[in-house]
């Protein structure tokens, strides 16, 4: 089965062949892990995000275009890495404001903290799908076409 193309493996996965998923995982997981690790600089979290990418692949297997599976994996990996960095950034900004208050310009530090908390609060208050679209579109400048493809929407 290892000799089959990605396209053939996706077609077989759509028909319920779980071994095809295993072959795709073995074929691409190392490259996806390396990519995510380079982006987030944290191997442990990159391993978790790589698992998320392949979990999404399995969940979306019925709707995937078999000719673009490798591209899909790396778009998904990029989005997972971006979401991780955003959540880490929001957490870091919220925690870092304590150190900023000791800075000479306390008012500026408080405003930065309030802006970060307000942004995080607004995004978290949105339904998950809308929050993801907002993060991808406004914060990461991902095109609407790529967002639609990644999320399976039109």
């Amino acid at each position: 089965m290892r000799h089959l193309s990605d396209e053939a493996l996706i077609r077989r996965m759509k028909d319920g062949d779980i071994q095809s998923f295993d072959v795709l995982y073995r074929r691409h997981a190392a490259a996806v892990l390396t990519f995510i690790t380079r982006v987030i600089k944290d191997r442990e979290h990159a391993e978790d995000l790589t698992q998320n990418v392949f979990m999404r692949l399995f969940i979306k297997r019925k709707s995937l275009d078999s000719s673009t599976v490798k591209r899909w994996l790396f778009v998904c990996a990029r989005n997972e890495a971006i979401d991780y960095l955003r959540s880490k950034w929001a957490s870091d900004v919220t925690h870092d404001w304590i150190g900023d208050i000791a800075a000479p310009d306390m008012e500026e530090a408080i405003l930065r903290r309030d802006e970060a908390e307000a942004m995080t609060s607004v995004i978290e208050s949105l339904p998950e799908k809308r929050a993801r679209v907002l993060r991808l579109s406004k914060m990461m400048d991902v095109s609407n076409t790529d967002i639609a493809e990644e999320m399976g929407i039109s």
Side-chain angles (χ1 to χ4, degrees):
M1 188 174 306
R2 293 180 189 188
H3 66 280
L4 293 175
S5 68
D6 288 351
E7 292 81 13
L9 291 168
I10 289 293
R11 283 192 299 273
R12 291 178 70 136
M13 271 180 50
K14 286 180 178 184
D15 292 335
D17 182 3
I18 302 302
Q19 288 180 331
S20 297
F21 174 78
D22 187 53
V23 172
L24 280 169
Y25 180 84
R26 291 175 192 274
R27 186 177 290 173
H28 296 293
V32 170
L33 175 61
T34 299
F35 172 76
I36 294 173
T37 301
R38 285 183 181 160
V39 172
I40 70 170
K41 313 273 191 270
D42 181 336
R43 172 85 179 195
E44 185 177 330
H45 284 102
E47 289 172 355
D48 292 340
L49 297 177
T50 299
Q51 293 300 316
N52 291 349
V53 168
F54 282 92
M55 182 176 64
R56 284 178 172 217
L57 173 69
F58 186 78
I59 290 168
K60 297 200 177 255
R61 69 189 180 279
K62 299 253 185 212
S63 64
L64 285 176
D65 177 359
S66 59
S67 67
T68 61
V69 68
K70 190 170 183 179
R71 180 178 184 277
W72 185 92
L73 285 169
F74 283 92
V75 167
C76 188
R78 179 194 66 193
N79 292 340
E80 286 287 332
I82 289 167
D83 287 348
Y84 168 79
L85 290 173
R86 275 199 200 109
S87 68
K88 186 176 184 308
W89 174 82
S91 176
D92 289 349
V93 167
T94 301
H95 296 301
D96 285 350
W97 76 269
I98 295 171
D100 291 343
I101 288 181
D105 191 352
M106 189 190 309
E107 185 176 336
E108 182 180 330
I110 292 170
L111 287 174
R112 286 191 320 198
R113 179 206 63 198
D114 290 346
E115 285 176 7
E117 287 177 351
M119 180 182 291
T120 301
S121 176
V122 167
I123 290 173
E124 288 175 355
S125 71
L126 294 172
E128 183 178 335
K129 205 171 198 179
R130 287 185 182 169
R132 183 161 172 78
V133 168
L134 180 65
R135 283 188 214 109
L136 291 172
S137 173
K138 302 302 180 191
M139 298 174 115
M140 295 309 297
D141 293 325
V142 176
S143 74
N144 290 341
T145 303
D146 286 343
I147 292 171
E149 182 180 319
E150 163 63 25
M151 297 183 67
I153 57 178
S154 56

